[in-house]
Amino acid sequence: MKFEAVTIKDIAKALGLSTSTVSRALRDSYEISPETKKLVLDYAEKINYQPNPIALSLKERKSHSIGVIVGEIANNFFSQIINGIESVAKEEGYNVIISQSHESFDKESSNLQYLTSRSIDGLLVSVSAETLNFNNLKAIHDKGMPIVFFDRIVDEIETHKVIVDNFTGAYNATSHLIEMGYSNIAHICNASILSIAKERLAGYLSALKDHGMENDESLIKYCKHGGMIAQELEDALKELLKNKRKPDAIFASSDKLTTGCLRILKKKKISVPNDIGLIGFSNGDLTDLLDPPLSVVRQPAFEMGQLAIRMLLPLIESKYPVTSFETKVLSTELIIRNSTKHQPERVLK
Amino acid sequence: MKFEAVTIKDIAKALGLSTSTVSRALRDSYEISPETKKLVLDYAEKINYQPNPIALSLKERKSHSIGVIVGEIANNFFSQIINGIESVAKEEGYNVIISQSHESFDKESSNLQYLTSRSIDGLLVSVSAETLNFNNLKAIHDKGMPIVFFDRIVDEIETHKVIVDNFTGAYNATSHLIEMGYSNIAHICNASILSIAKERLAGYLSALKDHGMENDESLIKYCKHGGMIAQELEDALKELLKNKRKPDAIFASSDKLTTGCLRILKKKKISVPNDIGLIGFSNGDLTDLLDPPLSVVRQPAFEMGQLAIRMLLPLIESKYPVTSFETKVLSTELIIRNSTKHQPERVLK
DNA sequence: TTGTATGCGTTATCAG
DNA sequence: CTGATAACGCATACAA
């Protein structure tokens, strides 16, 4: 007893009509008499007729599903993005297929391959930290696949993009540390190829400059795996603390890097001054429960997801090639939970 | 310039063959001569032919996708489950469609409706905390849809199930609190209709009994929205603290409830003794960073996801109705990060 | 107003 | 060994 769906044919047979009449009645076509319409509609309702979306897809050459590539769903930033995407997708009758790169270029490529072979109508992408080149994405885009980038965008591909104001977010975060009295502020960031890494670095540098502090290259560390590999981050921190100019605060440039630093500091994996400052980009749901209170830069992830899909749908549905693209920039929010330096009793031990 | 896929027809035309020959060559049929095969394969490779999965689905009456219903992906327990599911799905050529109930019965029902209308081949379900009845699920199951339940199972529906040993997990958690010296241990749990709530309650009660402590109904509070509504949990805690027998420790029975309690205690939303104990079921990724250290019961979520889909696939692929079902039980892990009572300096303030 | 025929991309059946 | 044809479920151009 397999799951057997009822088809238009079944209805037609039962009612002594042709399939086309039934089809038209169901689509409320003007050419069908009210009586026939009612007859069909009632019967369809009664036997719980559901159109077969696969047949529809084949006919319309549209799958009504869109692919999403993110780093990891087990990351609040991305899960909130996905929630935003889904909220719109559902309204518009689209189906969302999520795939995770786990910050690996290989996985990203194979997911890309998988998604396109699953005949999706469009793609929402946040590239992985490890992504070396954008040839795959470019090839797919050139073939006519609508793509919208969010968060980690690709400059080389001309399409819609949604980002947050990374520059200002980083600027504010760094300024906050400076205003708290820290003077040797290290910056731990993602792979330098990533758009977000570049922009946040620029914000950090600009804040230093505006506060009359000099930039020290040795205080900047890149994690090209985006903190997915714990050792990488640990090494970066170790190096920082061995540096001749020793940092008294850290600005971490992503969710993963922020919590990674926290974990390493907390577990005393490396010896670190008691009163080191830490601020980071993070959408984690438990950051408000940490001791010492962790100040964070939050991104409007849900809105970003909504915006991304709202920009994608017109690309999918437009009959003509779209030639004009825009980049939406959302504001971040600096959540300050720690505004005084040197509170020994609340400090990371 | 829309995304135009190349079809078998294109290959056939280009090579002067029939579509059936091409199809057979691509499937490496024995009836095709090696030369033709090579010709076709090479050309297909060259123009990057990808079979259209939608056409295949229509033909095979199989979508190669499975639906998953969880509470929220922004919950580490569920995102780890999903990772487990996806790891197997990908290997087996299945596509995963995730939908979130957000612990609402209505959303769960509409998702169920949506998923089945998207012609999925099978369903993995963890029912929402708010679920009142299982009529929808039952109806779908009765129509022949393969379903495997995980975590929050439905006893009334006869199929495969995967759970953790909730009884032992709760028993160990409660015992840990008792051994730390707490004597008035409250239990905050999910809607009493949920399988996990019942089993964890039983473990809690059994631990009390085995340690010669008497059960006090007034120390048990149910949150029927599973902690999704903050007020509900706050009210439960307030009531507990007004209770004549005042709790000195809390055993929270889910991820959401554990972090919910933490948040309320930490934010001093209600006045609470300094040295109140807390332990809970949780797979949160930041629990190891909290102060005071939070002991938790961890569930093997990834394995649970893998197991669930591994049990589902045979149901989907079997040609005959399956009549014998089993329930797999996985062990939880008690992670103790707090083994002494009364540490004023590390206590929730 | 309703019915018939065709095609979406693929494979299976049957002929050749 | 290869080709023509039908079918999966649906929508639609065309015929009646």
Side-chain angles (χ1 to χ4, degrees), chain A residues 18 20-21 24 31-33 36 59 61:
Chain A
S18 75
S20 41
T21 305
R24 279 184 280 234
E31 349 170 61
I32 302 294
S33 76
T36 314
K59 178 132 255 294
R61 296 143 162 275

Side-chain angles (χ1 to χ4, degrees), chain A residues 265-296:
Chain A
L265 296 179
K266 180 95 178 186
K267 300 214 166 147
K268 304 181 199 173
K269 286 204 163 185
I270 52 185
S271 144
V272 99
N274 254 8
D275 57 349
I276 195 161
L278 178 62
I279 193 169
F281 272 69
S282 171
N283 276 52
D285 67 334
L286 294 187
T287 55
D288 58 334
L289 297 179
L290 297 172
D291 254 329
L294 184 68
S295 297
V296 293

Side-chain angles (χ1 to χ4, degrees), chain A residues 2-3 53 58 63 83 90 94 100 111 113-114 117-118 143 263 266-267 285 288-289 291 316, chain B residues 2-3 50 53 58 63 83 90 94 100 111 114 117-118 263 266-267 285 288-289 291 316:
Chain A
K2 273 276 165 194
F3 194 80
L58 187 59
S63 64
N83 285 348
K90 204 164 181 192
Y94 279 84
Q100 312 182 57
N111 283 341
Q113 154 68 26
Y114 180 74
S117 82
R118 295 297 306 186
K143 273 208 221 156
R263 192 160 278 122
K266 180 95 178 186
K267 300 214 166 147
D285 67 334
D288 58 334
L289 297 179
D291 254 329
I316 292 176
Chain B
K2 273 277 162 192
F3 194 81
Q50 302 276 20
L58 186 61
S63 63
N83 285 348
K90 203 163 182 194
Y94 278 85
Q100 313 182 57
N111 283 342
Y114 180 74
S117 83
R118 295 297 307 185
R263 192 158 278 123
K266 180 97 179 183
K267 300 213 167 150
D285 67 333
D288 58 334
L289 297 179
D291 253 329
I316 291 176

Side-chain angles (χ1 to χ4, degrees), chain B residues 102-335:
Chain B
H102 294 287
E103 306 298 1
S104 138
F105 180 60
D106 286 347
K107 272 210 181 113
E108 181 178 280
S109 302
S110 77
N111 283 342
L112 211 50
Q113 154 68 25
Y114 180 74
L115 282 177
T116 50
S117 83
R118 295 297 307 185
S119 45
I120 50 170
D121 297 338
L123 206 47
L124 294 173
V125 180
S126 189
V127 296
S128 91
E130 216 196 61
T131 298
L132 310 163
N133 65 65
F134 308 117
N135 299 343
N136 289 326
L137 280 166
K138 212 163 196 166
I140 288 168
H141 184 247
D142 287 346
K143 272 209 221 155
M145 173 69 74
I147 300 182
V148 168
F149 289 102
F150 62 91
D151 193 45
R152 296 136 170 229
I153 62 177
V154 175
D155 280 329
E156 292 88 326
I157 298 180
E158 220 187 310
T159 183
H160 291 318
K161 287 152 197 169
V162 192
I163 50 176
V164 297
D165 187 346
N166 289 300
F167 179 90
T168 306
Y171 184 95
N172 291 343
T174 311
S175 299
H176 174 61
L177 288 173
I178 296 172
E179 281 149 21
M180 279 174 72
Y182 295 105
S183 48
N184 298 303
I185 300 170
H187 179 38
I188 295 193
C189 55
N190 266 308
S192 58
I193 198 178
L194 285 179
S195 58
I196 53 170
K198 289 181 207 158
E199 293 161 19
R200 290 170 193 179
L201 175 62
Y204 160 81
L205 293 175
S206 180
L208 291 184
K209 195 174 160 206
D210 287 359
H211 289 78
M213 296 171 69
E214 57 180 312
N215 160 32
D216 185 338
E217 281 291 337
S218 69
L219 287 179
I220 302 169
K221 294 287 172 212
Y222 297 90
C223 288
K224 70 166 186 275
H225 302 288
M228 288 298 289
I229 300 170
Q231 194 55 48
E232 177 185 34
L233 182 56
E234 208 176 313
D235 291 345
L237 279 178
K238 267 186 192 146
E239 267 191 65
L240 275 177
L241 293 160
K242 275 192 305 201
N243 198 40
K244 57 183 187 306
R245 181 167 163 199
K246 212 171 166 181
D248 55 5
I250 299 170
F251 162 46
S253 134
S254 83
D255 220 305
K256 203 87 192 168
L257 294 171
T258 306
T259 55
C261 283
L262 261 181
R263 192 158 278 123
I264 291 171
L265 295 178
K266 180 97 179 183
K267 300 213 167 150
K268 304 182 200 173
K269 286 205 165 185
I270 52 186
S271 143
V272 99
N274 253 8
D275 58 348
I276 195 162
L278 178 61
I279 193 169
F281 272 68
S282 171
N283 276 51
D285 67 333
L286 295 187
T287 55
D288 58 334
L289 297 179
L290 297 173
D291 253 329
L294 184 69
S295 298
V296 292
V297 181
R298 273 201 194 277
Q299 311 190 55
F302 190 86
E303 292 75 11
M304 191 181 238
Q306 290 194 313
L307 215 60
I309 184 169
R310 289 231 171 85
M311 295 176 92
L312 180 64
L313 296 184
L315 297 186
I316 291 176
E317 283 157 13
S318 146
K319 284 180 187 150
Y320 310 101
V322 179
T323 52
S324 138
F325 300 102
E326 58 179 326
T327 299
K328 293 258 190 191
V329 181
L330 303 173
S331 295
T332 60
E333 190 185 359
L334 179 63
I335 299 190

Side-chain angles (χ1 to χ4, degrees), chain A residues 74-145:
Chain A
N75 174 323
N76 275 61
F77 174 61
F78 287 124
S79 44
Q80 285 164 22
I81 293 231
I82 290 170
N83 285 348
I85 294 172
E86 294 219 303
S87 70
V88 174
K90 204 164 181 192
E91 257 174 31
E92 306 288 338
Y94 279 84
N95 189 14
V96 175
I97 300 178
I98 298 157
S99 79
Q100 312 182 57
S101 69
H102 293 287
E103 305 298 0
S104 140
F105 180 59
D106 287 347
K107 274 214 180 106
E108 182 178 278
S109 302
S110 78
N111 283 341
L112 210 51
Q113 154 68 26
Y114 180 74
L115 282 178
T116 48
S117 82
R118 295 297 306 186
S119 46
I120 51 170
D121 298 337
L123 207 46
L124 295 173
V125 180
S126 189
V127 297
S128 92
E130 216 197 59
T131 298
L132 311 164
N133 65 65
F134 308 117
N135 299 343
N136 289 324
L137 279 167
K138 213 163 194 163
I140 288 169
H141 185 247
D142 286 347
K143 273 208 221 156
M145 174 69 73

Side-chain angles (χ1 to χ4, degrees), chain A residues 70 78 83 92 120 127 160 188-189 202 217 228-229 253 294 299 303 336-337:
Chain A
V70 295
F78 287 124
N83 285 348
E92 306 288 338
I120 51 170
V127 297
H160 292 317
I188 295 193
C189 57
E217 280 292 336
M228 288 299 288
I229 299 171
S253 134
L294 184 68
Q299 311 190 55
E303 292 74 11
I336 298 179
R337 300 209 189 91

